[in-house]
Amino acid sequence: MTAQSDTTPQTTSAEDGVTAVYQVTGMTCGHCEGAVASEIGGLAGVSSVRAEAATGRVTVVSAAPLDDAAVRSAVDEAGYELAGRA
């Protein structure tokens, strides 16, 4: 197993979609995770979202690469801040 740097963008493609990992600040609980997942999950092409308050990481699987501005807007709408790709 190889450790990855936190500054390396993590985006992978697979047959079932594109996986991207984002860093979101301000999440502290399950409610926060649900709010972020709900807003990002509403973006076109998103098939799954896993938000983790403990790490601030949000893993998104989508049919095609997402526009970072759209993800930022969704996170803002949920009341949190997108720090960038993890």
Side-chain angles (χ1 to χ4, degrees), residues 8-29:
T8 303
Q10 294 180 347
T11 302
T12 59
S13 295
E15 290 180 16
D16 58 343
V18 177
T19 300
V21 181
Y22 299 92
Q23 191 70 38
V24 174
T25 61
M27 294 191 298
T28 59
C29 64

Side-chain angles (χ1 to χ4, degrees), residues 72-85:
R72 183 176 305 282
S73 178
V75 171
D76 285 350
E77 184 66 24
Y80 302 92
E81 184 176 345
L82 179 68
R85 290 188 181 240

